[in-house]
């Protein structure tokens, strides 16, 4: 049987902004349900829902305080069930975000971990003593993706790891309780009828913590850092693949098996290793997204993506937009020669894009992608 995702078009929905059904100024699940006919009419085969879980919204909902609920501002579990049922009536698949790298600081586990240095929940995160005679220096020089140290000190003197915002403490994937919790989360939503999962920060779950070691920091961003250090202590660890082999066994027990797509910001030859037959189904092809507007550049990235995917027996997953990058008309309206990665990270996004040019190129890119 051909897997549905191999030639599907997914429409990403950020729940707080698509449609507000009750007039409170915040989009919600009922609003999405009311717009499903529109999404189906566009020709989409399914939707990918960004996080809708209970959250203090320090990072757009990617700081989850309860992985089995719905944020009250967005609705209820009953509203979610109605959304899934309505989507399936229209032959639309539903994929949801799962955020396994970290929780919110308001998650029950982290609140318990902060309550006492002897709490068993502290082992579910990455707590360490600081350096220096009084422990006042971070345990390593690791940097947060959002800037600044990747460690925050708590009142009892220890430090906890957060590869993103301080409000997003990293989980300890070396602990069996964490692994079992996420098996149960996958089953919880699969039992409610979701068709698959988009896995946030899929390549960074497992950290090599024994011993902790400093990084040789490389200027220019994550791609260069990863490529320069195949034994990176917290990105693309070989042990992370066992997590996904485990998830594959969980999700393959469903009929049909639940689909998976990974957020993996890695060069193609390493990205496709996450899509081996006993691991995940897909991995977002961000090299395609970041390609400058140049025919030879597109030809090169398409050819290399197809070749990388063929090595493991899968197909590329082409990406043109998501919540982390500026929309296509702005990106493709930039002057020739603009360094897109640097532009995306710049304050104020200088130079200004030509939106008319960008819209014309966006239509051409849509045709290229769908072809």
């Amino acid at each position: 049987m051909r897997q549905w995702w191999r030639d599907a078009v997914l429409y990403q929905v950020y729940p707080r902004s698509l449609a507000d059904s009750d007039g409170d100024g915040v989009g919600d699940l009922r609003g999405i349900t009311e717009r499903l006919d529109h999404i189906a009419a566009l020709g989409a085969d399914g939707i990918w829902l960004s996080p809708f879980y209970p959250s203090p919204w320090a990072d757009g909902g990617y700081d989850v305080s309860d992985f089995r609920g719905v944020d009250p501002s967005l609705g209820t579990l009953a509203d979610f069930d109605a959304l899934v049922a309505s989507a399936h009536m229209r032959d639309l698949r539903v994929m949801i975000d799962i955020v396994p790298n970290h929780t919110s600081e308001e998650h029950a586990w982290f609140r318990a971990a902060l309550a006492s240095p002897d709490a068993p929940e502290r082992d579910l995160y990455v707590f360490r003593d600081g350096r220096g005679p009084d422990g006042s220096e971070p345990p390593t020089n690791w940097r947060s993706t959002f800037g600044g140290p990747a460690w925050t000190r708590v009142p009892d003197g220890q430090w906890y790891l957060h590869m993103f915002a301080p409000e997003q403490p990293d989980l300890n994937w070396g602990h069996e309780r964490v692994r079992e919790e996420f098996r149960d989360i996958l089953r919880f939503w699969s039992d409610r009828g979701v068709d698959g999962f988009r896995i946030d920060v899929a390549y960074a779950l497992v950290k090599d913590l024994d011993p902790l070691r400093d990084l040789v920091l490389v200027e220019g961003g994550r791609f260069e850092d990863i490529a320069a250090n195949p034994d990176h202590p917290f990105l693309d660890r070989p042990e992370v693949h066992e997590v996904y082999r485990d998830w594959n066994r969980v999700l393959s027990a469903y009929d049909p098996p639940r689909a998976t797509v990974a957020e993996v910001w890695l060069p193609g030859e390493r990205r496709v290793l996450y899509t081996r037959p006993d691991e995940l189904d897909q991995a977002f092809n961000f090299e395609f997204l970041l390609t400058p507007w140049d025919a030879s550049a597109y030809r090169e990235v398409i050819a290399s993506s197809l070749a990388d995917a063929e090595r493991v027996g899968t197909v590329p997953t082409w990406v043109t937009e998501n919540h982390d990058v500026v929309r296509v008309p702005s990106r493709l309206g930039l002057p020739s020669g603009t360094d897109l990665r640097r532009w995306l990270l710049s304050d104020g996004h200088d130079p200004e894009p030509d939106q008319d040019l960008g819209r014309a190129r966006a239509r051409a890119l849509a045709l290229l992608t769908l072809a």
Side-chain angles (χ1 to χ4, degrees):
M1 181 178 68
R2 184 175 179 84
Q3 301 100 324
W4 65 268
W5 49 264
R6 289 182 70 94
D7 52 10
V9 176
L10 288 181
Y11 184 103
Q12 183 183 2
V13 175
Y14 184 67
R16 287 169 63 89
S17 66
L18 183 75
D20 173 14
S21 70
D22 56 11
D24 66 355
V26 178
D28 48 48
L29 297 183
R30 290 187 180 184
I32 298 169
T33 302
E34 292 170 358
R35 300 304 193 278
L36 289 176
D37 283 334
H38 171 71
I39 295 174
L42 292 174
D45 299 292
I47 59 173
W48 153 30
L49 287 178
S50 293
F52 52 83
Y53 311 105
S55 170
W57 302 97
D59 181 28
Y62 286 90
D63 49 320
V64 179
S65 55
D66 177 4
F67 288 94
R68 295 180 181 83
V70 172
D71 192 89
S73 68
L74 302 179
T76 65
L77 275 173
D79 293 329
F80 178 83
D81 292 340
L83 168 58
V84 173
S86 296
H88 287 169
M89 287 175 59
R90 293 161 174 80
D91 293 325
L92 289 171
R93 308 281 183 162
V94 179
M95 297 192 74
I96 65 172
D97 246 307
I98 189 168
V99 189
N101 182 70
H102 48 263
T103 72
S104 164
E105 63 178 349
E106 295 188 8
H107 192 282
W109 280 3
F110 195 69
R111 292 201 304 267
L114 291 183
S116 167
D118 299 320
E121 287 80 6
R122 188 160 288 206
D123 292 336
L124 306 181
Y125 296 89
V126 182
F127 279 84
R128 292 294 186 272
D129 294 331
R131 296 193 287 198
D134 58 356
S136 62
E137 298 177 18
T140 69
N141 70 344
W142 299 356
R143 306 291 291 175
S144 164
T145 301
F146 291 167
W151 300 91
T152 289
R153 201 175 192 188
V154 300
D156 60 48
Q158 280 203 308
W159 299 72
Y160 69 88
L161 178 67
H162 53 87
M163 297 314 306
F164 295 89
E167 296 90 346
Q168 295 168 285
D170 278 35
L171 288 162
N172 173 18
W173 274 85
H175 200 294
E176 177 56 28
R177 186 174 169 189
V178 172
R179 294 178 181 240
E180 183 55 38
E181 172 73 358
F182 275 87
R183 293 184 198 110
D184 287 345
I185 292 167
L186 292 172
R187 295 185 186 105
F188 178 87
W189 293 107
S190 295
D191 290 345
R192 301 193 91 89
V194 304
D195 299 284
F197 300 88
R198 178 264 185 187
I199 304 161
D200 189 58
V201 201
Y203 64 122
L205 305 191
V206 177
K207 283 79 176 176
D208 183 12
L209 305 172
D210 188 18
L212 283 173
R213 59 189 187 276
D214 281 345
L215 271 173
V216 177
L217 299 177
V218 177
E219 185 178 357
R222 290 175 295 177
F223 272 73
E224 292 81 355
D225 196 8
I226 296 165
N229 186 357
D231 189 32
H232 199 292
F234 56 84
L235 294 179
D236 196 32
R237 296 291 309 166
E239 300 89 346
V240 78
H241 293 280
E242 180 51 43
V243 173
Y244 299 128
R245 285 189 283 271
D246 184 33
W247 286 20
N248 182 291
R249 290 187 286 269
V250 172
L251 298 175
S252 294
Y254 288 87
D255 185 17
R258 300 320 191 221
T260 47
V261 58
E263 180 192 25
V264 178
W265 291 86
L266 290 170
E269 68 273 11
R270 293 167 71 178
R271 180 183 65 244
V272 296
L273 297 180
Y274 289 76
T275 62
R276 287 175 288 198
D278 61 345
E279 294 190 36
L280 304 175
D281 294 317
Q282 307 164 84
F284 286 139
N285 185 348
F286 293 117
E287 290 170 308
F288 183 71
L289 181 150
L290 294 171
T291 301
W293 188 254
D294 178 84
S296 60
Y298 275 111
R299 181 184 180 90
E300 181 178 348
V301 77
I302 290 169
S304 64
S305 299
L306 290 168
D308 288 334
E310 186 177 1
R311 286 195 295 113
V312 297
T314 187
V315 292
T317 300
W318 309 106
V319 181
T320 58
E321 291 187 329
N322 71 7
H323 56 283
D324 284 327
V325 295
V326 175
R327 291 293 182 97
V328 170
S330 294
R331 297 202 317 269
L332 297 186
L334 293 170
S336 297
T338 302
D339 184 327
L340 181 57
R341 292 189 184 96
R342 190 174 298 278
W343 184 82
L344 289 170
L345 295 171
S346 67
D347 293 332
H349 288 156
D350 182 51
E352 284 287 326
D354 180 334
Q355 294 290 344
D356 290 334
L357 176 63
R359 279 191 287 271
R361 288 176 170 177
R363 294 187 180 95
L365 180 60
L367 177 61
L368 173 65
T369 305
L370 293 170

